[in-house]
Amino acid sequence: MSKLANLRLATEDGDDNDIYSGFNESNPLYDVNNLEEDEGFIQAVKTSHGRRPPMTALKGASPFGTKGAGGFRNNLASSMGRQPADSDSGARPMTSVTGAGYTAASKRAAFGSTPGVFDPFNQASKGSVHGSELENIDESTPEDKIKTMERTISKLIDESAIANCRGDHTKATEKAREAGKKERQLVRLREQVGLSDGISVDLTYSVLFNLAVQFEANEMYPEALNSYQVIVKNKMFQSAGRIKVNMGNIYYKQGQFSKATKYYRMALDQVQNTHKEVRIRIMQNIGTTFLKMGQYNDAITSYEHIMTEKPDFVSGLNLILCYFTIGDKEKMSKTFQKLLNVNLGIDDEDKYQTDATSDNPQESLYLDAIRNDMLRQLERKRQQIAEYCILTAAKVIAPAIEDTFAKGFDWCIEQVKMSQRHDLANDLEIHKALMYLKERDFKQAVSILKTFEKKDTQVKAQAATNLSFIYLLQGNLSDAKRYAEASVKADRFNSAALTNKGNCCFYSGRVDEAVMLYKEALDNDSSCYEALYNLGVVQKRQGNLDESLSCFLKLHSIVRKSAEVMFQIAILYEQLEDYSQALEWLMQCVSIAPTDASVLSRLADICEREDSGERSQAFAYRLDSYKIFPADIDTVEWLGAYYVDSQYSEKAIEYFERAAVIQPNEVKWRLMVASCYRRSGNYQAAFEKYKQINRLFPENIECLKYLNRLCTDMGLTNELQEYAAKLRKAEKMQESRAQRSSSAKQRRSADSSNDSRNNSASGGSARQRRMMNSAEQQPHSGGYGATPKQIDASYSDPLGPAMERPKTAARHRPQDYDEFDDIEVDENLLPD
């Protein structure tokens, strides 16, 4: 107010004290009742440009100079409170703008202002003092503070929502919490200044709802439920009943389907009948929860209501699944027909096609702009959902509605052909062929796929791809290659066809061409898992370990939970001698496939190599592998050898007996069992086991040597003579076999050297070979008793030599000392 102190209203007599004089007087210029008598006004109306002549006094009114006649202009001061000059006292024309501040530049420049600048109060001459002082005026009233805090809260809510859309849920939650804190401060401020009645209910609702949504996005379900409860219990919030749908969704995610159904029904009761779309969505959620709980009849009730009011593809598919579960064939067929008649809500596809007869470039630009916009993407998504639901429903009901799946597919194909989705009939035909493949009926599958050779290009390429893969599995490389080339010719950008052709080239030995085809398939479709996996395998076989590892790591980024990919990465790290990384990837593989015995065995191998001989961790993994797959001979052998090395021969017997069951014709496992008995001190059981082995394998010399040694140690004279004779006989038979094999080799070498001779000499050479063979066998014609031979009773333990006992004696005993010489042996202890 200090800046307005210099502004005064000047009077004609210069009386500065009466500043309110003249305000109650009426200016005759504003008297509209006497316009007809105003000659200047009438003349201005009559002129072509509407210019008024100079002002003249009205009848009965004095000029502007007198006070009693309403001298209004005489009472006005200038813009800075100066008295008007004498030259300005006269009547000025109506076109003058002097009083508004628009004067000549020379005249205004005399007062120190900038020429040509609007400055009626001449503030430029006094510098920037006025602006700075006006900026420093304190406007921080409680109302201003409240408005500022409300804008800040709204901004925080917007930032939280944007962060949620970008996937940064942590930042979104932080912004939501900050907005909630600011909102509570705002409420306290309003209560302090006495403005509680103006609390914004919508702002409080927005803060609480946004906070609950962010908690739900971060899977902080208890906090989200608490925030939703605050909204629901507050009666000031309108339409808060819909929030119960969100609460039901949280309980659904937690697996509490009964509570989810309860909240869905509460929300359905609070939604008006006019909101038909919302009620249908809630009914879909209720039907889904009934499906999860196994209450199929209640789910059928919900889905039937949806298909009656507003049918959609997902609800129709779920209804078919419910009917399939209860085995109602008739209703499955009727619902499938209703599913085919569901309106997709998409206009004709021709609107995205360019008219060939049109030369309008604007139309082409318009079509290019809308061909892949968000609306077009939404239409594609709806089409994909519709195709998935129809094909899935057909594959589900085809084996159930008829006696055979072939008849069921035929009925479904006929219904699809008669509907507006007739283009899906070819896909059903291909699914029918795939069903024949699952039934191992390759002939029927091939016959169905061959019918597509004369159809349109897309279906033909798909059928040729499947045929190529079938022939490749059957080993028919020529037909597989032929159909792969036909598929590539029909659609050069078909990644599956290029992958099949690459497989054919790989099996043909053209590895480089296969690599090129795999890379071309990936160029066409970067998500072609088969091509990427095959490329990694081929690079691995070629020794390009780094490139192979790059392929599998890229595949792992696409398929996060593939145990095969993780195993390949671990093997590559093992080959690169990075055992720590190999262990890490194998552990991840075990978490995905905990019942894969081969992964556990590989993990045990790496642990044994990494721990520098420490086998405890490797033993744990081997034991887990044995529990999962006890028929793995390598794992069984490792566990048996581990117990033998640990001096637990009794426990090793179990694993060697298991190996003998797995490989019953392999004698070494039985010999290891007998050796374990002998190592553990159970000589009688070892002797019986060797006798059993001798009955099964009478020509095994190693077993006979063990029997001779045991008979000698146990003093069994009769058995010793028997097994000694068997040993001599077995050794002679072994020698004769060795001689016959050596003579056969000589004959083959002689035949190869005599291939250039004529046929007349072949008879004589044969006779000579027979004479040589009889001469070689003549020394052995005397029988087994003609040339007595010393028995070789030496043997080698298949489990290795036993560990020596620790030498604890204080003195050295003589060699001929017998510690059992003075002990009388009871005759009952001797063998029979």
Side-chain angles (χ1 to χ4, degrees), residues 133 151 187 192 195 209 227 446 495 529 566 625 654 660 674 697 719 729 745 749 755 767 796-797 805 818:
E133 292 184 0
R151 288 193 294 268
V187 172
Q192 291 174 2
L195 299 176
F209 182 76
S227 299
V446 171
S495 299
Y529 312 142
M566 294 180 183
S625 177
E654 174 189 353
F697 304 94
E719 285 80 357
K729 182 179 178 181
K745 291 180 181 179
S749 61
D755 286 340
R767 286 193 298 271
S796 59
D797 196 339
R805 293 180 57 190
D818 189 0

Side-chain angles (χ1 to χ4, degrees), residues 96 104 152 189 214 230 271-272 276 284 298 339 353 357 389 448 543 572 619-620 650 678 684 725 747 797 803:
S96 174
T152 304
L189 178 61
Q214 305 310 329
V230 172
V271 175
Q272 299 178 0
K276 185 177 180 181
Q284 289 177 350
D298 295 333
L339 187 66
Q353 303 296 329
T357 59
C389 292
I448 292 174
L572 287 169
F619 169 73
E650 299 87 349
R678 184 173 49 80
Q684 188 62 35
R747 285 198 302 271
D797 196 339
M803 294 183 64

Side-chain angles (χ1 to χ4, degrees), residues 246-262:
N246 297 32
M247 300 175 68
N249 293 337
I250 292 176
Y251 284 120
Y252 181 88
K253 293 176 182 178
Q254 291 179 337
Q256 303 181 24
F257 301 118
S258 59
K259 286 188 177 181
T261 306
K262 173 184 175 181

Side-chain angles (χ1 to χ4, degrees), residues 97 110 209 251 392 421 423 436 527 580 585 697 730 772 795 803:
V97 291
F209 182 76
Y251 284 120
T392 304
R421 303 292 171 194
D423 54 335
Y436 277 118
S527 63
S580 59
W585 282 99
F697 304 94
M772 291 174 61
Y795 68 98
M803 294 183 64

